Amino acid sequence: MYQFWAFMDRTERHTNYPNLLRFVSLIHYLLLVFHWNACLFHLLHYSTGFGYKLTEDSNSPWSASNYPDKDSFMTYLKSVYWTVLALTTIGDLPSPKTRADFLYVIFELVIGLITFATVLGYIANIVTNVSAARKDFQGKKTEADALS
């Protein structure tokens, strides 16, 4: 881990596009968090039935008939889909029924709020750095124009 962080720090300092690197790393971290949460949802789904046994309506995206087999890649994609809905607080989430379901949904929503605040702060930092670089460049250009 230390070597990875040192690599990212050195790369950010020596690249011509540090903001692009920051943006790509942010997307990478978000996808990693989505993956971990999808795996957690998948485990909860199969241990307690959370997410599909709660409704018998076959038109619901959370019904048993719309959820594929346990070993299917489509199951993972549905888990990622649910995680993205939960962490971005978009909605259309299955209603929790058990204590474990409620704790998991509360955990997901809190992590989603923290993630949202972190992403906003990260993007604000990138915009601030771009603005500072532009202001520094304009200051140097003004000095060069005054000297010539």
Side-chain angles (χ1 to χ4, degrees), residues 7-147:
F7 166 77
M8 290 298 289
D9 185 51
R10 281 191 307 269
T11 304
E12 187 176 317
R13 280 189 272 140
H14 296 295
T15 185
N16 290 333
Y17 304 102
N19 294 321
L20 179 63
L21 180 68
R22 288 181 194 138
F23 179 74
V24 169
S25 67
L26 173 67
I27 297 299
H28 175 260
Y29 298 143
L30 285 175
L31 291 175
L32 184 63
V33 168
F34 289 164
H35 168 73
W36 286 341
N37 279 293
C39 291
L40 189 60
F41 173 78
H42 188 73
L43 290 174
L44 185 66
H45 169 74
Y46 282 106
S47 66
T48 67
F50 177 59
Y52 82 89
K53 290 184 180 175
L54 305 175
T55 180
E56 299 304 322
D57 178 15
S58 63
N59 294 328
S60 170
W62 303 110
S63 68
S65 62
N66 288 330
Y67 221 92
D69 292 335
K70 177 188 220 176
D71 299 324
S72 171
F73 182 68
M74 193 63 188
T75 303
Y76 173 75
L77 290 179
K78 284 235 181 186
S79 298
V80 171
Y81 173 74
W82 188 90
T83 298
V84 171
L85 286 177
L87 289 179
T88 56
T89 62
I90 290 175
D92 191 29
L93 304 176
S95 298
K97 298 287 186 196
T98 67
R99 184 178 297 159
D101 296 349
F102 272 103
L103 290 173
Y104 180 72
V105 170
I106 290 169
F107 171 76
E108 283 291 309
L109 293 175
V110 168
I111 294 298
L113 289 173
I114 291 169
T115 303
F116 185 69
T118 303
V119 168
L120 282 179
Y122 211 75
I123 298 297
N125 187 21
I126 290 173
V127 170
T128 302
N129 288 340
V130 168
S131 297
R134 182 179 293 138
K135 196 176 283 188
D136 185 45
F137 174 75
Q138 288 173 343
K140 287 179 181 179
K141 183 178 176 198
T142 305
E143 288 176 15
D145 289 344
L147 292 175

